Amino acid sequence: AKVAQAKSLTLSAAEHLKNREPDKALADLASALQYWEDNPAAYYLKGLAYEQKADLAEARANLEKAVDLKPDYPEALIGLGRVLWELGNHQAASGEFDKAVAVAPDLAEAHYNRGLAQAWLGDPTSAVGEFRTALALKPDYLDAGVNLGLTLMRMRKVEEAVQQFKALTKEFPGNPAVQNNLGLALLEHGDFKEAVGAFRQALREGPNSAEAHYNLALALRKEGDDQAAAAEFKRAQELNPALSPP
């Protein structure tokens, strides 16, 4: 009965975390741990709650406890890696992502987080492989798809990046960030007219995006339409005063 009560409170805490209510989650988890003191799921969720509260030291301690209790707990390994990364301990974080992939090779999130770490640590080729694996496991994984395209751009594989973002616009047709990234790839590729179209589509879906207005201005300038570009630069700066024409 005690374990059942602990599980019920743990599920309640998970719902509070979905609603960004970490204090309510922590109250449920304190009760859950009274019923079952070695519950790895409760420590995992405590770690996420403290992460939401930006208390990274407590988040780390609780996620480490979850992993101590259950070393093959991939979600806890990913959470611990993410918190270590936020604390600036990038190599240790990367090690936790490696462990997550080792214990759960079919978990898309494990490959995605390892890919992010590899991209940041200067191994874009491996990162591309991890993002592709994440997408093979979870085809609608938007963040993996976007980061695959961005990493291809950083590798100067612009044609591949264009194709990747075009595929994402079909998968996520109403997403302004995807359209904006497609526009940037097209701009880099020299397809200025098509880039203008992508940025305009991004603005139809998110009209108050300073970044999209700014990028549209860059594309219009490349097309030779300086008057329209000036208007877009002006609108971008109204939305975000830090954005000034280059």
Side-chain angles (χ1 to χ4, degrees):
K2 284 188 174 183
V3 169
Q5 186 69 16
K7 286 183 176 178
S8 174
L9 286 161
T10 302
L11 287 171
S12 173
E15 283 301 309
H16 286 311
L17 288 175
K18 282 183 190 173
N19 295 325
R20 308 291 298 182
E21 298 170 334
D23 290 319
K24 290 181 180 179
L26 287 168
D28 280 345
L29 293 166
S31 299
L33 286 165
Q34 289 178 344
Y35 290 109
W36 180 11
E37 63 182 23
D38 288 335
N39 178 356
Y43 284 105
Y44 164 62
L45 293 173
K46 274 187 78 178
L48 298 190
Y50 280 114
E51 187 183 12
Q52 283 191 9
K53 288 168 68 69
D55 186 341
L56 297 181
E58 277 296 320
R60 176 181 182 173
N62 281 280
L63 289 163
E64 285 177 338
K65 178 72 171 175
V67 171
D68 285 343
L69 290 167
K70 188 179 179 184
D72 61 346
Y73 193 164
E75 291 83 3
L77 289 164
I78 292 168
L80 177 56
R82 191 173 58 243
V83 167
L84 287 168
W85 191 274
E86 291 177 62
L87 286 165
N89 198 340
H90 297 147
Q91 291 296 341
S94 188
E96 298 303 323
F97 298 141
D98 288 343
K99 290 178 197 172
V101 170
V103 300
D106 293 334
L107 184 63
E109 287 76 12
H111 290 281
Y112 169 68
N113 280 280
R114 182 156 77 169
L116 288 179
Q118 289 168 335
W120 199 92
L121 291 170
D123 187 1
T125 302
S126 295
V128 164
E130 293 298 329
F131 294 141
R132 290 197 193 282
T133 300
L135 286 164
L137 293 165
K138 188 177 174 183
D140 63 346
Y141 200 159
L142 175 59
D143 288 344
V146 168
N147 277 283
L148 172 57
L150 292 174
T151 305
L152 288 167
M153 282 182 69
R154 289 188 201 107
M155 296 172 73
R156 314 301 300 161
K157 295 187 174 183
V158 182
E159 177 63 38
E160 285 185 55
V162 167
Q163 295 311 313
Q164 171 60 20
F165 286 124
K166 281 186 175 179
L168 284 179
T169 61
K170 290 174 184 160
E171 186 85 24
F172 301 95
N175 188 301
V178 170
Q179 287 287 347
N180 187 60
N181 280 309
L182 171 60
L184 288 172
L186 289 164
L187 195 59
E188 189 76 17
H189 197 247
D191 299 329
F192 305 134
K193 184 175 183 180
E194 206 175 338
V196 166
F199 294 132
R200 289 200 190 282
Q201 183 61 34
L203 287 165
R204 277 192 283 276
E205 293 154 1
N208 292 321
S209 167
E211 185 184 356
H213 281 287
Y214 185 87
N215 292 333
L216 174 56
L218 292 176
L220 288 165
R221 180 184 278 181
K222 287 285 189 183
E223 278 217 292
D225 193 342
D226 290 340
Q227 187 175 351
E232 292 299 330
F233 280 131
K234 183 171 182 289
R235 181 61 181 139
Q237 202 164 20
E238 287 169 357
L239 291 163
N240 180 357
L243 288 176
S244 55

